[in-house]
Amino acid sequence: MTLLTVHQDNHPNPAATATGSGTATAPHPAATSDPARMPRLTTTVPREYVHRSTLAEVFLTGCEQTGDTRYTLTAQWPRAHTFFTTPDGTHHHPLQAAETIRQTGLYLAHAELGIPLGHHFLMRDLHLTTHPQHLTIGPTPTDLTLTATYTPHRPHTKRPTDFTMHITITRNGHPTATGTGRFTCLAPTTYQRLRHPHSTTPTATGTSTSNAATQHQPPNPPPTHYGRTLPHDIVLTPTPHPHTWQLTPNPHHPILFDHTTDHIPGMVLLEAAHQAATAHTHPTPTTHPTHPTTLHATFHHYTEHHTPTYITTHTNSDSDHTPTPTTHITAHQNNTTVFTAQLTTHTPTDT
């Protein structure tokens, strides 16, 4: 099984004015009487369609169908996001592209493919390539154009409940990121059967850490060791074993836990992979943090709350000292692999 957490939280239905074009605002009276006098304004797509609680975390702004299975979307990244910004403040964090791809898959499923709100989503895998030279933060928010095509895995069903989404993100005509993810949509009753005997009641308590699991652990290095600047952004705690960490995210983190879930969100696992790879390949913090450029992630099982999760890393011997090393990351619970990833990084000076 999969499993990047992208499932629906308990939002009310979006406003009746929401459409597949991504607009969800009522017309201004002046616009009704004289549309020519009012400029066309940009807004985000309904937050319910991307399973976000906070409007500020919705990056998509519009959508237009341009083919049978092809869509063109618009998006915007803020200049100073509180989480998706590199420590030196010069670049959008590559994982912001992963979050944008996640939102695109969910939005298209709801707004264009007919998947009802209330369904749960699983992502079986994610493949992402970014181009850091086009991730620089400019004097204005970064406007993006996305091209998305989907391939249904059961094309003769009424709704494409299992599909692969191919997405290209461009900025001023330049490729910024490309990604592919496989999404599976589950009705609430199916999801409840799948999750049994685990509780399907959402929880905001995050990953608990038992006293036995935390005893005799070495002190945590500074956030820069993991490629971050703020302590509350760190999701790992070192263990006595080399290249092994326990997953200990802050369950009240406003981005990673934007809404309550009944298991660990997949974006937490992606962030753990990034932090572990940074700590593994660059154990001595530098003024030039590494940026992930390629990511291949597979979600094998749900990662449960309240069960210790351990992250381990290794690199191929021939890549240990290369400018762009590839780190292999594994997450396991109860001796079962729940998540694997391969992440290649580089420093901004290589661009």
Side-chain angles (χ1 to χ4, degrees):
M1 302 299 303
T2 80
L3 298 165
L4 173 54
T5 303
V6 292
H7 68 270
Q8 173 72 34
D9 54 337
N10 296 321
H11 283 309
N13 288 337
T17 54
T19 68
S21 64
T23 56
T25 54
H28 190 279
T32 303
S33 59
D34 187 2
R37 295 181 56 189
M38 297 298 296
R40 182 175 181 179
L41 304 180
T42 299
T43 185
T44 66
V45 303
R47 61 188 173 94
E48 294 85 356
Y49 286 0
V50 298
H51 299 190
R52 277 299 190 181
S53 295
T54 308
L55 288 172
E57 299 307 316
V58 179
F59 300 140
L60 302 181
T61 58
C63 176
E64 178 183 2
Q65 184 170 3
T66 54
D68 289 342
T69 60
R70 181 183 177 94
Y71 298 86
T72 298
L73 302 96
T74 53
Q76 186 181 86
W77 291 344
R79 294 175 59 195
H81 194 275
T82 58
F83 186 70
F84 291 121
T85 302
T86 57
D88 57 8
T90 62
H91 289 69
H92 298 288
H93 197 285
L95 288 186
Q96 191 163 17
E99 169 62 17
T100 304
I101 289 171
R102 185 197 75 88
Q103 292 189 15
T104 301
L106 270 62
Y107 174 77
L108 290 178
H110 285 311
E112 302 292 345
L113 305 183
I115 303 300
L117 292 173
H119 277 49
H120 298 261
F121 285 71
L122 313 175
M123 184 179 281
R124 300 183 181 275
D125 52 51
L126 173 68
H127 306 282
L128 174 69
T129 300
T130 62
H131 304 278
Q133 67 270 30
H134 300 305
L135 292 174
T136 54
I137 296 175
T140 60
T142 300
D143 291 316
L144 304 165
T145 300
L146 289 72
T147 301
T149 59
Y150 74 91
T151 303
H153 292 277
R154 291 188 289 271
H156 300 297
T157 57
K158 183 178 180 180
R159 292 191 182 105
T161 57
D162 187 10
F163 57 89
T164 294
M165 192 72 66
H166 307 271
I167 298 168
T168 299
I169 303 175
T170 59
R171 175 185 186 181
N172 297 325
H174 300 289
T176 302
T178 56
T180 300
R182 181 174 177 179
F183 294 81
T184 299
C185 312
L186 300 174
T189 54
T190 303
Y191 183 77
Q192 291 171 2
R193 289 196 303 267
L194 179 65
R195 293 291 287 143
H196 183 78
H198 299 285
S199 171
T200 57
T201 302
T203 176
T205 56
T207 304
S208 68
T209 306
S210 66
N211 291 333
T214 56
Q215 287 179 350
H216 309 300
Q217 288 181 334
N220 222 349
T224 52
H225 182 79
Y226 300 105
R228 289 294 184 179
T229 57
L230 300 177
H232 78 272
D233 288 338
I234 303 306
V235 301
L236 302 177
T237 298
T239 70
H241 306 287
H243 306 308
T244 302
W245 298 264
Q246 186 171 354
L247 183 66
T248 55
N250 173 10
H252 304 291
H253 194 283
I255 310 303
L256 295 176
F257 291 92
D258 168 80
H259 57 273
T260 55
T261 68
D262 67 350
H263 54 278
I264 299 298
M267 288 301 296
V268 173
L269 295 174
L270 295 180
E271 177 61 24
H274 159 246
Q275 293 186 16
T278 301
H280 183 114
T281 57
H282 295 272
T284 302
T286 67
T287 56
H288 298 288
T290 59
H291 293 183
T293 54
T294 61
L295 170 67
H296 303 285
T298 303
F299 303 87
H300 301 280
H301 295 278
Y302 290 100
T303 304
E304 304 296 346
H305 292 300
H306 312 302
T307 301
T309 304
Y310 295 97
I311 308 291
T312 58
T313 60
H314 74 274
T315 56
N316 297 332
S317 58
D318 57 351
S319 68
D320 287 342
H321 304 290
T322 61
T324 56
T326 297
T327 306
H328 301 264
I329 302 101
T330 302
H332 56 274
Q333 284 188 330
N334 296 327
N335 299 317
T336 298
T337 298
V338 294
F339 167 77
T340 53
Q342 297 81 45
L343 194 151
T344 301
T345 59
H346 90 301
T347 59
T349 53
D350 296 333
T351 302

